Amino acid sequence: MGRVYDDERLAGVYQGGNEMPDASLRDWTHLIGSFAGRPSPAVVEIGAGTGMFCASMARRLNPSRVIGIDASVPMLTQAERHNSHAAVQYVAGTAEAVPTGSDLFDLALLSRVIHHLPDRVRVAHELARILRPGGTTVIRTTFRERLDALVYDYWPGLRESDERRFPSRSEVLEDFASAGFTVRTVISFARPVTAGLRDYHARMTSRPQSKFAGLTAAEFQEGLGRLRADAEDESTTRPVPVRERYDVAVLSLA
Ligand SMILES: C[S@@+](CC[C@H](N)C(=O)[O-])C[C@H]1O[C@@H](n2cnc3c(N)ncnc32)[C@H](O)[C@@H]1O
């Protein structure tokens, strides 16, 4: 499923369709950074995509280095374009065989990628290899039992396919425990992604997430039409920000 991001079209629309207001990105970055456990951490993001978290962590966490790994070269091309930073290095590679040495990083981020990784035990062992003793993995996802994105209101079929794609909380925690990780905490955190439904509709027109690949053109247009109608009904003077909530699992090595 990760291979869908080799599609130049999806890579090209991903940044515009998934970026968030800078205040939201700031809050997310400080939350993730709070789990680093030491000043100037060495940071790796696996499945870095177009690099929005890599650049934000470089700007805000005073890291010694940030490496962004992704299996998709088109996504990394977009990362260089939108989120290049002197402290960030983008590298092609996979979560299952991370192309770095061992014992290098204090903090690893996996944001919206765990559902693309069927062999989680292997990935967890790779993270245990590349992290230093005491290092931490932060998994930002939506656990299967808590799928609550707004897209499901407009494309209910996506909920069914995501129930097959996304792992549960216990599956993730057990797989990481098998590689030596201990659960520090699991929290829920939400921040606005758009100022209102009009902006949300505008970004959805580009089908900016891999999940839309499972819809026919007619199914996509039907949901988009209902979203457009709701967006047109929304007050222009008092739009309601659209928030996205994620589960955040924080797992550390001894
Ligand atoms: C939904 S995007 C998330 C991008 C970014 N982390 C974010 O939160 O916006 C998922 C990314 O994971 C990458 N990916 C999928 N499978 C992968 C794998 N096995 N190893 C490394 N990256 C992978 C995809 O190429 C894609 O860029």
Side-chain angles (χ1 to χ4, degrees):
M1 196 64 196
R3 306 322 303 180
V4 293
Y5 287 95
D6 288 345
D7 171 7
E8 301 267 356
R9 188 209 69 81
L10 180 55
V13 299
Y14 188 87
Q15 176 69 24
N18 291 278
E19 62 197 352
M20 55 182 118
D22 198 53
S24 297
L25 186 57
R26 175 200 64 206
D27 292 352
W28 269 110
T29 303
H30 286 308
L31 176 75
I32 292 160
S34 72
F35 301 117
R38 57 170 283 181
S40 289
V43 180
V44 62
E45 182 178 3
I46 308 287
T50 55
M52 63 181 169
F53 279 110
C54 284
S56 183
M57 291 191 292
R59 283 196 284 134
R60 294 176 161 122
L61 302 184
N62 188 33
S64 58
R65 67 193 300 202
V66 178
I67 307 271
I69 307 276
D70 202 283
S72 161
V73 171
M75 289 294 269
L76 291 177
T77 301
Q78 297 297 324
E80 296 284 6
R81 179 172 166 209
H82 295 286
N83 287 303
S84 66
H85 187 286
V88 180
Q89 192 187 353
Y90 293 111
V91 179
T94 69
E96 295 80 5
V98 180
T100 69
S102 303
D103 291 343
L104 286 181
F105 300 101
D106 304 296
L107 181 66
L109 171 64
L110 278 74
S111 169
R112 308 209 311 182
V113 68
I114 197 79
H115 58 290
H116 290 301
L117 309 175
D119 194 347
R120 281 186 304 277
V121 170
R122 180 166 167 196
V123 170
H125 278 92
E126 268 300 82
L127 286 158
R129 178 183 71 77
I130 66 172
L131 286 169
R132 294 177 175 143
T136 295
T137 295
V138 174
I139 298 175
R140 178 178 183 261
T141 187
T142 313
F143 291 127
R144 180 167 64 227
E145 57 273 31
R146 303 196 62 188
L147 293 170
D148 59 358
L150 185 58
V151 287
Y152 304 129
D153 289 5
Y154 296 99
W155 295 279
L158 293 181
R159 181 187 295 280
E160 281 168 40
S161 57
D162 280 355
E163 279 170 354
R164 290 190 294 274
R165 293 199 313 154
F166 279 69
S168 70
R169 169 185 162 129
S170 61
E171 286 168 347
V172 171
L173 299 190
E174 280 166 25
D175 289 342
F176 275 74
S178 77
F181 286 91
T182 305
V183 182
R184 270 170 68 184
T185 188
V186 182
I187 60 171
S188 176
F189 194 70
R191 281 293 179 272
V193 290
T194 62
L197 271 186
R198 279 187 177 74
D199 292 351
Y200 190 75
H201 167 264
R203 67 165 46 186
M204 286 303 141
T205 57
S206 70
R207 288 184 290 130
Q209 296 174 20
S210 64
K211 55 176 89 248
F212 290 116
L215 295 176
T216 65
E219 287 168 340
F220 177 71
Q221 288 303 332
E222 193 273 330
L224 192 66
R226 288 191 295 116
L227 173 55
R228 182 173 55 245
D230 285 354
E232 284 168 357
D233 281 350
E234 186 177 63
S235 157
T236 46
T237 48
R238 305 191 69 172
V240 180
V242 175
R243 295 160 70 84
E244 281 184 0
R245 185 205 67 80
Y246 291 91
D247 299 303
V248 181
V250 183
L251 302 131
S252 291
L253 296 171

